[in-house]
Every structure is written in C-alpha cells, then in structure tokens.
Amino acid sequence: MGMTEAVITETTQAGVRTLTLNRPDKLNAANDALLLDLTGALRRAATDDSVRVVVITGAGRGFCAGQDLGDVSGRDMTFTEHLNHTYNPLIRTIRTLGKPVISAVNGVAAGAGASLALAGDIRLWAQGASLIEVFSNIALVPDSGSTWFLPRLVGYHRAFELMALAERVRAEDALRLGLCEQVFPDDTFHADVQAYAERLAARPANALKLTKQALVFAQTSTLDEALDQEAALQQIAGDHWEHEEGVTAFKEKRPAQFVRE
Ligand code: T3D
C-alpha cells in the first residue's frame, strides 16, 4: 500500500465488518479507487465466514458527498461507461450480498452518496446526518439507484420534488419518510451502530440471507411469483440446522444459539 492512506478502511469485531469511506477532507467524495475498493471489500466480506454483518460508514463529518467533482475532468470514460464500471457494480454487490448490509450514515450523504445511504438493507442515521439528491444542482440525473430506491420509499411525487429542488432531508424527516430505520445521537453513533449490528449478527445468518433474497426478488415480482419464491426458499431454510435449533430452543424455553464457532 506504500505511504498512501487507504480510501477504505476495514475492521472486524464480533462478526461485524465495518468498511469506512476514508476521504474525510472531501466528505468522502468518491473517486474511482474508493468505489472499486469498496466493491472489492464487500465481495471479500461476502465470502469471509467470520463476517455476519457488513457496515458501511464514513470517516469524519460526512458520509459520502457523491462523485468527487475534482476527479471528473480529463476522464477517459463516458458517463455511461463510468457508471457501469464503478457505481453500478457497487450497488448491485450490496443488493445481492448474502449478508445484511447496514448503511451507517454518520453525516451528509449527497448525490451517489445518497444512493449509497439508501441501498443498505438497514439504514442507521446519526442525528446530524442528512441526505441530498444533489444531482440537479450540477444538472445531472439521479444515479446509483436513487431513481429506484427513493420513489419506493416516499412515492413518485415526493421523490421528484426532492430530486428537482435538491432539498436537504434531515434525520427527523428521514425517519418519518422511511429513509432510515433508526436515528442515534451523534456522539455515540459508532458505538450504537456496532451494538445494533451485533444484535443482527446474532440472528440466523442463513435465514437472513434467504429473507434478503426473497425481499429483493419480490420488489420486482408479481404476488404469484413471490409466493412461489417463498415456497422454494422456505425449503432451503427449513432444511438448515438453524431451523432445528430455533425450534428446539423454543421447546426448551431457552434463547436460540445461531452462532456456531
Ligand atoms: O459517473 C459520473 O461521474 C456521474 C456520477 C455522478 C454521481 C454523483 O454523485 S453527482 C453529485 C456529485 N456531488 C455533489 O455535487 C456534491 C457537492 N458537494 C456539496 O454540495 C456540498 O459539499 C455538501 C452539500 C455535500 C456539503 O456541504 P458543506 O457545506 O457541509 O461542506 P463543503 O464545505 O461544501 O465541503 C467540504 C469540503 O469537501 C470542501 O473542500 P474544501 O473547500 O474544504 O477544500 C469541498 O470542496 C469538498 N467536497 C464536498 N463535496 C465534494 C467535495 N470535493 C469534491 N467532490 C465533491 N463531491
């Protein structure tokens, strides 16, 4: 790695892999190295048996200010090529990763950073965090999944308004609008995220993987297709040792132990 600081730092504690965007001077604006390293780190987390939950967060006062606007001029790729090379594989990796991914939004999330904030399976925000669909400020189209995630959360019209006016959504409104699941105080945020993630890590990993698969599938399926998918995935879940442990623990009136060394 030489003397340059990593643009993504990784730590693992109690089954929780935390990936931290590490360009704090630019509010973790994304250059290609950050996007490709983050995608690589997620793929490694996917296949690492010691990892049960992945957290994506930002160093310093920002979560991610979207595309690094200092990194665009002189680029030898079209916008389409660039999205297909960097942002789109990142969002697809989060969505297909067989473990829960938490977007831990510690500060401002703007542009593609807003998309990243929405793409997690669970979105935890600090009180001082905010989200801005900032693209129209620089006359671009929302990308990295924002046009897919946001209207599903707030409806077409609110999504259009937020995108057209690039209005800042603060934590209180984000919670009300369904853009996040929990808001934690700024000064205990990272500890609160870790505690939340550890709760998730103690849950049955195989069942959660299949639950994510079923929910993602159902986002674009008919009810009939979802019912068929549930029936197929339930067989896989029911054949797994986790199910037997859950039922046995219930009968023995003890907490289920879903983590095996
Ligand atoms: O393939 C493609 O290229 C298309 C993909 C597009 C995806 C996108 O994400 S497009 C949207 C790009 N992002 C933006 O337009 C956001 C630009 N930033 C802002 O609007 C503001 O910085 C924020 C609203 C996010 C935060 O405002 P504030 O007042 O809290 O902070 P600040 O003072 O503006 O920023 C702090 C520093 O970070 C500052 O540097 P300095 O002056 O202290 O040296 C600022 O220049 C830098 N910074 C913030 N955002 C970016 C950035 N540097 C480069 N790129 C950024 N996106």
Side-chain angles (χ1 to χ4, degrees):
M1 200 190 319
M3 297 296 285
T4 38
E5 230 186 307
V7 285
I8 300 294
T9 62
E10 294 187 29
T11 58
T12 310
Q13 193 188 326
V16 179
R17 168 79 42 94
T18 300
L19 306 176
T20 304
L21 282 54
N22 189 31
R23 303 185 74 216
D25 294 349
K26 291 175 181 284
L27 304 178
N28 305 313
N31 58 11
D32 285 5
L34 181 143
L35 295 165
L36 297 175
D37 284 7
L38 180 56
T39 306
L42 285 162
R43 289 182 177 149
R44 279 198 307 282
T47 54
D48 185 335
D49 288 343
S50 70
V51 176
R52 294 171 70 87
V53 173
V54 183
V55 173
I56 300 174
T57 194
R61 75 175 176 90
F63 173 67
C64 175
Q67 173 62 36
D68 184 335
L69 297 176
D71 211 49
V72 175
S73 61
R75 200 162 69 187
D76 61 358
M77 276 188 221
T78 65
F79 281 99
T80 304
E81 286 168 349
H82 187 246
L83 287 171
N84 285 330
H85 179 59
T86 54
Y87 291 101
N88 292 354
L90 169 61
I91 301 301
R92 288 193 176 106
T93 300
I94 292 172
R95 217 44 194 168
T96 54
L97 201 137
K99 301 175 183 181
V101 177
I102 296 177
S103 294
V105 183
N106 54 299
V108 65
S115 306
L116 187 58
L118 297 175
D121 303 303
I122 303 266
R123 293 82 42 90
L124 306 178
W125 279 37
Q127 189 66 51
S130 59
L131 177 144
I132 318 174
E133 292 285 352
V134 75
F135 303 88
S136 61
N137 284 350
I138 54 168
L140 286 184
V141 172
D143 63 25
S144 308
S146 266
T147 65
W148 195 87
F149 290 112
L150 195 61
R152 282 174 166 73
L153 295 163
V154 302
Y156 169 94
H157 297 92
R158 184 63 62 103
F160 186 79
E161 184 184 46
L162 289 172
M163 290 168 173
L165 297 177
E167 284 183 339
R168 189 187 287 258
V169 182
R170 297 191 187 275
E172 197 175 291
D173 289 328
L175 195 57
R176 183 176 53 80
L177 289 168
L179 304 190
C180 64
E181 282 60 64
Q182 304 280 336
V183 176
F184 295 125
D186 290 329
D187 52 358
T188 57
F189 182 63
H190 290 297
D192 290 341
V193 167
Q194 178 67 25
Y196 185 105
E198 287 184 19
R199 264 174 63 206
L200 209 50
R203 305 294 299 158
N206 182 64
L208 264 51
K209 177 180 89 174
L210 298 171
T211 300
K212 175 168 175 175
Q213 197 180 323
L215 277 175
V216 168
F217 178 86
Q219 290 280 291
T220 56
S221 80
T222 63
L223 174 60
D224 271 342
E225 289 163 346
L227 291 170
D228 287 344
Q229 177 78 349
E230 287 171 3
L233 295 180
Q234 196 66 292
Q235 192 62 52
I236 300 172
D239 288 343
H240 198 275
W241 66 261
E242 284 176 352
H243 173 56
E244 193 183 332
E245 164 61 8
V247 174
T248 306
F250 174 77
K251 288 179 179 161
E252 293 175 357
K253 299 187 188 301
R254 61 169 175 84
Q257 181 49 261
F258 291 121
V259 183
R260 285 187 177 169
E261 296 314 320

